[in-house]
Amino acid sequence: MNTPSYTYEEAPFDPAAPAPANIREGYRPLRLDERAMSVIERYFQAVINRRLMILAVVLLSVTVGVITYLMATPQYMATARIEISRSQAKVTNVNGVDIEDRGRDLQFYETQYNLLKARSLAERVARVLGLQNSEAFFTTYGIGKEEGAAAPKTRSAREQSARLESAATILLSGIEIDPVGNSNLVDIRFRSPDPALSAKIANTWAQEYIQSNLDRRFATTADARGFLEQRLNQLRTRLEASERELVAYSSGKGIVTLSTSEGEGKTSTNRTMVMDDLATLNNALNAAVAERVAAESALAAATANPNAANQSTLASLRQRRAELSARYSALLTKFEPGYPEAEALRTEIYSIDQSIAQEGGRSRSDALAILRAAQAKEADFRRRVEALTKDFNIQRSNMIEYQILQREVDTNRQLYDGLLQRYKEIGVAGVGTNNIAIVDPADVPRGPFEPSLPRSLGTSLLIGLILAAALVVIAEEIDQSLRDPADVQRELGLPLLGTIPRVDDKDVAEELRDKKTQLYESYLAVRTNLSFLTDHGAPGIFMLTSSRPNEGKSLSAYALARLFAETDAKVVLVDADMRNTRLDDLIDSNTGPGLSNYLSGASNIGDVIQRPSDQNFAMITAGPMPPNAAELLSSERFRDLLAHLRETFDHVIIDAPPVLGLADAPLLSRSVDGVLFVVESNVGKLRLVRGALRRLELPGAKVFGALVTKLDNRNNTYGYGYGYGYGYGRGGKQEARSAG
């Protein structure tokens, strides 16, 4: 008979994909608080389950801490406290408003903290204390003298530099810079095996930090002074050159300045000799013109009235003559004409008469002479003014270049004076106050800072707890096995039909015969739960499968067959795992044809149904392993077999192959009433279970629920474990069974 060929492609696994529709029936998503509690419970149970590992890790960490404490070298810490003030440079004499700039303050203090930890400062401290030549210092830190090492006086510069660098490295490893709260105070701490050395280095560190700060200031001032001196020399040379050029130009052009004025750094020429001479001659010319005009007026008056010019003189002469005549007449009345006094008066009167006559003819000639003299004087002054005017115009054009040279002299003088003033200010600022001061010098510590037994124990305990917690989290994240059977409902959306403890397969038959054992009671509970699946009781045909081999499905199928048979029901157990049967280890069946023989057409139904001698149910063994198990399970003969078994037996229990990696179980699921999915606790991964369930969804299988097997003491905290004392040995002896 030709059997149809079926191929089954495994669907790609997607952890985020939803569960099968028939699996989600009755599934209620967890709320956020329930999920949080679930995670908390999970890790709480993980801590309890791994308490021995946690205890071992913590004890190991504490032991290491105690050993470290006992072997550690005592360290002494000395602290020196300094104050660092923010120095503000005052660049003007105007008192302004201080504005708080927290950004600049943070930048300033962060810079100071890094300067306190600078290697240059460590080398400076080592050099001041001579640590590079101190063998005791290196011995204190466990660095012995090398064989063949040279004496300090005979060491080369390279060796000295290397030892200085080593000493600086040691100092940097022991120094700590700790700002004191929100203040300007900073603690300088140094720890070493020697208490006196710790205090000495802490104090020297603070002192050298202050000195290095001063050195940087003086170095900056010296650099500025050197730069200014160079610039002053250059400007002095330029100023002298420009002044010489100005003097040479003024001498060559005959420019003689009589007065200058200075304002806002500029020199202005107010008067030159040419300007002064021109102004004087111009005034003299104006006076000569006025004198000529007056002479012309006098000549005109003399021409019109000859005596007009000397009327006043004539009037005075006539008045004098009248007076003399009156006196002469008075004397004649008393004396003779020859009287001396009368003769003198007569002679004077005669002289006045002659003068009166001369004045009358001389008035016009005098006016003409005065006019000619005034004209000559005016002409002379005018010629001289015209000559000076030409000189002045020439000098004005020369003054343009002169002013240019003068401005260059002024500019060079301003630059020189400004730099000279700055040079003087820097010289005064170089001796300013320091902004760093030592508040508390370091004292020699009285006791060691490290090691501290409480601190070592606390630190090691904390490290142990952190390490143990990390290991627990990593183990939980890596271990995706089913620990809590309740996760069947939460994670898979399946009803939990039962939980089975871990047992030894060789004792199963004996344990199932003893109704007082936990194994019997567990499978009895499963049988009871199966009886509530349908309205007519337990399903007629169902299969047991799992995601991978060795999860306990064969044992469960055998146990359920026994327990269903105890109810006087007709039960047949079909071993459909033809590739890797495990029922042969549980049942002593007769060697004969099995399922593969019937499906291949080599045997009939009656030939493959067996009755094991020590069992209360019928069984169909797997038979020889066929090359095409999937094709046989999907054939028409297999469906005919199930139809015959449904009519003959009350319950048909099929031990199916695992789902992953094989197509047998999905093909079988199409021919049964439902599937009982077996999940091994503590071993299998939930993502594999989800993948197996998703494969069963494709052919439309109905999954009744899940059966969690092989529970042991690791599941006690979830309320599903059976603990030690429920192992199953021969003769009813109870002994613990390890989970491996």
Side-chain angles (χ1 to χ4, degrees), residues 502-504 507-508 510-511 514 516-519 723-737:
R502 176 180 289 275
V503 296
D504 194 348
D507 303 326
V508 170
E510 183 179 349
E511 295 299 326
D514 186 1
K516 298 179 182 180
T517 61
Q518 288 289 347
L519 183 65
Y724 297 102
Y726 287 101
Y728 304 95
R730 292 188 181 275
K733 181 180 179 181
Q734 298 178 349
E735 61 179 340
R737 301 294 182 183

Side-chain angles (χ1 to χ4, degrees), residues 485 495-500 522 525-526 529 676 706-709 711 720 722:
L496 179 62
L497 298 180
T499 58
I500 310 300
S522 300
V526 176
N529 291 333
L676 180 60
L707 182 63
V708 180
T709 62
L711 293 171
Y720 293 92
Y722 297 91

Side-chain angles (χ1 to χ4, degrees), residues 321-377:
R321 185 178 183 285
E323 292 176 355
L324 293 176
S325 295
R327 290 175 59 189
Y328 183 75
S329 298
L331 288 176
L332 289 181
T333 58
K334 296 179 179 180
F335 301 101
E336 291 291 333
Y339 186 71
E341 184 177 355
E343 186 66 24
L345 288 174
R346 188 180 63 80
T347 303
E348 186 176 358
I349 291 171
Y350 177 75
S351 176
I352 290 173
D353 290 338
Q354 288 181 345
S355 297
I356 291 172
Q358 292 176 357
E359 289 294 332
R362 195 174 54 189
S363 176
R364 186 176 181 280
S365 61
D366 290 343
L368 181 60
I370 292 172
L371 175 61
R372 290 175 179 173
Q375 289 176 345
K377 183 177 180 181

Side-chain angles (χ1 to χ4, degrees), residues 7 318-319 336 387-388 397 459 567:
T7 59
R318 288 191 181 99
Q319 183 178 359
E336 291 291 333
L388 282 176
S397 61
T459 303
T567 62

Side-chain angles (χ1 to χ4, degrees), residues 610-642:
Q610 302 180 14
R611 291 283 181 176
S613 58
D614 57 343
Q615 305 297 334
N616 56 356
F617 56 86
M619 180 179 179
I620 299 177
T621 61
M625 185 176 64
N628 53 350
E631 294 181 359
L632 295 178
L633 293 175
S634 62
S635 64
E636 189 67 27
R637 286 181 66 84
F638 182 72
R639 287 189 288 272
D640 293 341
L641 174 63
L642 292 181

